[in-house]
Amino acid sequence: MNFAFSAEENELRASIQAFIQEHLSDEVRRDLQETVVGQGYTAASTQFLGMIRDRGWSAVSWPKKYGGQARSRIAQFIVEEEFHRAAGLGVGGGG
């Protein structure tokens, strides 16, 4: 039994890490960690969250007919893990 991530899963992880490196500023990280969800993120944080949504990372494992990408739960785990690691941010999940 092979427990290694597939090439596609590793590519997903790398693309998320590159996105985070490019777009997650210290200001946004601080705002995401210190602001209560729904209590008024800064414009920069709102833009960052919108970019995550636009890439479909908010619902990776959901069926396409509900706005997801119909990827595996492993892909969903990778998305959740990378954003949590970078900013303590809960992205995706549920469903």
Short mmCIF file of all heavy atoms in Angstrom, two decimals, residues 18-46:
data_model
loop_
_atom_site.label_atom_id
_atom_site.label_comp_id
_atom_site.label_asym_id
_atom_site.label_seq_id
_atom_site.Cartn_x
_atom_site.Cartn_y
_atom_site.Cartn_z
N ALA A 18 2.74 28.49 -3.10
CA ALA A 18 3.18 29.63 -3.92
C ALA A 18 2.21 30.80 -3.78
O ALA A 18 2.62 31.96 -3.68
CB ALA A 18 3.30 29.20 -5.38
N PHE A 19 0.91 30.50 -3.78
CA PHE A 19 -0.11 31.53 -3.61
C PHE A 19 0.07 32.23 -2.26
O PHE A 19 0.05 33.46 -2.18
CB PHE A 19 -1.50 30.89 -3.70
CG PHE A 19 -2.61 31.82 -3.32
CD1 PHE A 19 -3.14 32.70 -4.24
CD2 PHE A 19 -3.12 31.82 -2.03
CE1 PHE A 19 -4.17 33.58 -3.88
CE2 PHE A 19 -4.14 32.69 -1.66
CZ PHE A 19 -4.66 33.57 -2.60
N ILE A 20 0.25 31.46 -1.21
CA ILE A 20 0.43 32.02 0.12
C ILE A 20 1.68 32.89 0.16
O ILE A 20 1.66 34.01 0.69
CB ILE A 20 0.49 30.89 1.18
CG1 ILE A 20 -0.90 30.26 1.34
CG2 ILE A 20 1.03 31.41 2.51
CD1 ILE A 20 -0.91 28.97 2.14
N GLN A 21 2.76 32.40 -0.39
CA GLN A 21 4.02 33.15 -0.41
C GLN A 21 3.84 34.50 -1.11
O GLN A 21 4.35 35.52 -0.66
CB GLN A 21 5.11 32.33 -1.11
CG GLN A 21 6.45 33.00 -1.18
CD GLN A 21 7.12 33.10 0.18
OE1 GLN A 21 6.92 32.27 1.05
NE2 GLN A 21 7.92 34.13 0.37
N GLU A 22 3.09 34.50 -2.19
CA GLU A 22 2.91 35.72 -2.98
C GLU A 22 1.88 36.68 -2.38
O GLU A 22 2.05 37.89 -2.46
CB GLU A 22 2.47 35.35 -4.40
CG GLU A 22 2.31 36.55 -5.31
CD GLU A 22 1.97 36.17 -6.74
OE1 GLU A 22 2.10 34.99 -7.11
OE2 GLU A 22 1.57 37.08 -7.48
N HIS A 23 0.82 36.16 -1.79
CA HIS A 23 -0.32 37.01 -1.44
C HIS A 23 -0.58 37.22 0.06
O HIS A 23 -1.34 38.12 0.41
CB HIS A 23 -1.60 36.45 -2.07
CG HIS A 23 -1.56 36.43 -3.56
ND1 HIS A 23 -1.66 37.57 -4.34
CD2 HIS A 23 -1.42 35.40 -4.43
CE1 HIS A 23 -1.59 37.24 -5.60
NE2 HIS A 23 -1.44 35.93 -5.68
N LEU A 24 -0.01 36.41 0.92
CA LEU A 24 -0.29 36.54 2.35
C LEU A 24 0.73 37.45 3.01
O LEU A 24 1.82 37.03 3.39
CB LEU A 24 -0.30 35.17 3.03
CG LEU A 24 -0.64 35.18 4.52
CD1 LEU A 24 -2.04 35.73 4.77
CD2 LEU A 24 -0.50 33.79 5.11
N SER A 25 0.37 38.72 3.14
CA SER A 25 1.26 39.69 3.78
C SER A 25 1.17 39.54 5.30
O SER A 25 0.24 38.91 5.83
CB SER A 25 0.85 41.11 3.39
OG SER A 25 -0.43 41.41 3.95
N ASP A 26 2.12 40.13 5.99
CA ASP A 26 2.08 40.11 7.47
C ASP A 26 0.81 40.79 7.97
O ASP A 26 0.22 40.35 8.95
CB ASP A 26 3.32 40.79 8.05
CG ASP A 26 4.58 39.97 7.84
OD1 ASP A 26 4.48 38.74 7.63
OD2 ASP A 26 5.68 40.56 7.90
N GLU A 27 0.40 41.87 7.29
CA GLU A 27 -0.81 42.59 7.69
C GLU A 27 -2.04 41.68 7.60
O GLU A 27 -2.85 41.61 8.53
CB GLU A 27 -1.02 43.80 6.78
CG GLU A 27 -2.36 44.48 6.97
CD GLU A 27 -2.72 45.43 5.84
OE1 GLU A 27 -1.86 45.73 4.99
OE2 GLU A 27 -3.89 45.86 5.80
N VAL A 28 -2.16 40.96 6.49
CA VAL A 28 -3.31 40.08 6.30
C VAL A 28 -3.24 38.92 7.30
O VAL A 28 -4.26 38.57 7.91
CB VAL A 28 -3.38 39.56 4.85
CG1 VAL A 28 -4.40 38.46 4.70
CG2 VAL A 28 -3.69 40.71 3.90
N ARG A 29 -2.08 38.34 7.49
CA ARG A 29 -1.94 37.24 8.45
C ARG A 29 -2.39 37.68 9.84
O ARG A 29 -3.17 37.00 10.50
CB ARG A 29 -0.50 36.74 8.50
CG ARG A 29 -0.29 35.61 9.50
CD ARG A 29 1.15 35.11 9.58
NE ARG A 29 1.44 34.30 8.40
CZ ARG A 29 2.31 34.64 7.46
NH1 ARG A 29 2.98 35.77 7.53
NH2 ARG A 29 2.53 33.84 6.43
N ARG A 30 -1.92 38.84 10.27
CA ARG A 30 -2.29 39.37 11.58
C ARG A 30 -3.80 39.61 11.67
O ARG A 30 -4.43 39.24 12.65
CB ARG A 30 -1.53 40.68 11.82
CG ARG A 30 -1.14 40.96 13.21
CD ARG A 30 -0.23 42.17 13.40
NE ARG A 30 -0.10 43.11 12.31
CZ ARG A 30 0.93 43.14 11.44
NH1 ARG A 30 1.90 42.26 11.54
NH2 ARG A 30 0.98 44.03 10.48
N ASP A 31 -4.36 40.20 10.64
CA ASP A 31 -5.80 40.48 10.63
C ASP A 31 -6.61 39.18 10.70
O ASP A 31 -7.56 39.09 11.47
CB ASP A 31 -6.16 41.26 9.37
CG ASP A 31 -7.61 41.71 9.35
OD1 ASP A 31 -8.12 42.15 10.41
OD2 ASP A 31 -8.24 41.62 8.28
N LEU A 32 -6.22 38.19 9.93
CA LEU A 32 -6.94 36.92 9.93
C LEU A 32 -6.85 36.20 11.27
O LEU A 32 -7.78 35.52 11.69
CB LEU A 32 -6.43 36.01 8.81
CG LEU A 32 -6.69 36.50 7.38
CD1 LEU A 32 -5.98 35.60 6.38
CD2 LEU A 32 -8.17 36.57 7.09
N GLN A 33 -5.73 36.36 11.94
CA GLN A 33 -5.53 35.69 13.22
C GLN A 33 -6.19 36.42 14.38
O GLN A 33 -6.59 35.81 15.37
CB GLN A 33 -4.04 35.50 13.50
CG GLN A 33 -3.40 34.50 12.57
CD GLN A 33 -1.89 34.41 12.73
OE1 GLN A 33 -1.26 35.28 13.32
NE2 GLN A 33 -1.30 33.37 12.18
N GLU A 34 -6.34 37.74 14.26
CA GLU A 34 -6.83 38.54 15.39
C GLU A 34 -8.29 38.94 15.29
O GLU A 34 -8.89 39.32 16.30
CB GLU A 34 -5.96 39.79 15.54
CG GLU A 34 -4.53 39.46 15.92
CD GLU A 34 -3.61 40.68 15.93
OE1 GLU A 34 -4.09 41.81 15.65
OE2 GLU A 34 -2.42 40.50 16.21
N THR A 35 -8.88 38.88 14.11
CA THR A 35 -10.26 39.33 13.92
C THR A 35 -11.21 38.15 14.04
O THR A 35 -10.97 37.08 13.49
CB THR A 35 -10.42 39.99 12.54
OG1 THR A 35 -9.49 41.07 12.44
CG2 THR A 35 -11.83 40.52 12.35
N VAL A 36 -12.29 38.34 14.75
CA VAL A 36 -13.32 37.32 14.86
C VAL A 36 -14.03 37.22 13.51
O VAL A 36 -14.38 38.24 12.91
CB VAL A 36 -14.34 37.68 15.97
CG1 VAL A 36 -15.48 36.68 16.03
CG2 VAL A 36 -13.62 37.78 17.31
N VAL A 37 -14.24 35.99 13.03
CA VAL A 37 -14.88 35.78 11.74
C VAL A 37 -16.19 36.55 11.69
O VAL A 37 -17.01 36.49 12.59
CB VAL A 37 -15.13 34.27 11.49
CG1 VAL A 37 -15.92 34.06 10.20
CG2 VAL A 37 -13.82 33.52 11.45
N GLY A 38 -16.36 37.32 10.59
CA GLY A 38 -17.58 38.09 10.41
C GLY A 38 -17.61 39.41 11.13
O GLY A 38 -18.61 40.13 11.08
N GLN A 39 -16.51 39.78 11.78
CA GLN A 39 -16.48 41.01 12.57
C GLN A 39 -15.71 42.13 11.88
O GLN A 39 -15.29 43.06 12.53
CB GLN A 39 -15.86 40.73 13.94
CG GLN A 39 -16.65 39.75 14.77
CD GLN A 39 -17.96 40.33 15.26
OE1 GLN A 39 -18.03 41.48 15.67
NE2 GLN A 39 -19.02 39.55 15.18
N GLY A 40 -15.52 42.04 10.58
CA GLY A 40 -14.91 43.15 9.86
C GLY A 40 -13.44 43.01 9.55
O GLY A 40 -12.60 43.63 10.20
N TYR A 41 -13.13 42.18 8.58
CA TYR A 41 -11.75 42.09 8.10
C TYR A 41 -11.37 43.37 7.36
O TYR A 41 -12.22 44.08 6.84
CB TYR A 41 -11.59 40.91 7.14
CG TYR A 41 -11.65 39.55 7.80
CD1 TYR A 41 -12.52 38.59 7.34
CD2 TYR A 41 -10.82 39.22 8.85
CE1 TYR A 41 -12.58 37.32 7.92
CE2 TYR A 41 -10.86 37.97 9.44
CZ TYR A 41 -11.74 37.03 8.97
OH TYR A 41 -11.79 35.79 9.55
N THR A 42 -10.07 43.63 7.26
CA THR A 42 -9.59 44.75 6.46
C THR A 42 -9.85 44.47 4.98
O THR A 42 -10.11 43.33 4.59
CB THR A 42 -8.08 44.97 6.66
OG1 THR A 42 -7.39 43.81 6.16
CG2 THR A 42 -7.73 45.21 8.11
N ALA A 43 -9.75 45.49 4.17
CA ALA A 43 -9.95 45.34 2.72
C ALA A 43 -8.94 44.35 2.15
O ALA A 43 -9.28 43.54 1.28
CB ALA A 43 -9.84 46.69 2.03
N ALA A 44 -7.70 44.39 2.64
CA ALA A 44 -6.67 43.48 2.14
C ALA A 44 -7.01 42.03 2.46
O ALA A 44 -6.83 41.13 1.63
CB ALA A 44 -5.31 43.85 2.71
N SER A 45 -7.52 41.79 3.66
CA SER A 45 -7.90 40.43 4.04
C SER A 45 -9.10 39.95 3.25
O SER A 45 -9.16 38.79 2.82
CB SER A 45 -8.20 40.36 5.54
OG SER A 45 -7.04 40.62 6.28
N THR A 46 -10.06 40.82 3.05
CA THR A 46 -11.24 40.47 2.25
C THR A 46 -10.82 40.11 0.82
O THR A 46 -11.33 39.15 0.24
CB THR A 46 -12.25 41.63 2.25
OG1 THR A 46 -12.63 41.90 3.61
CG2 THR A 46 -13.47 41.30 1.44
#
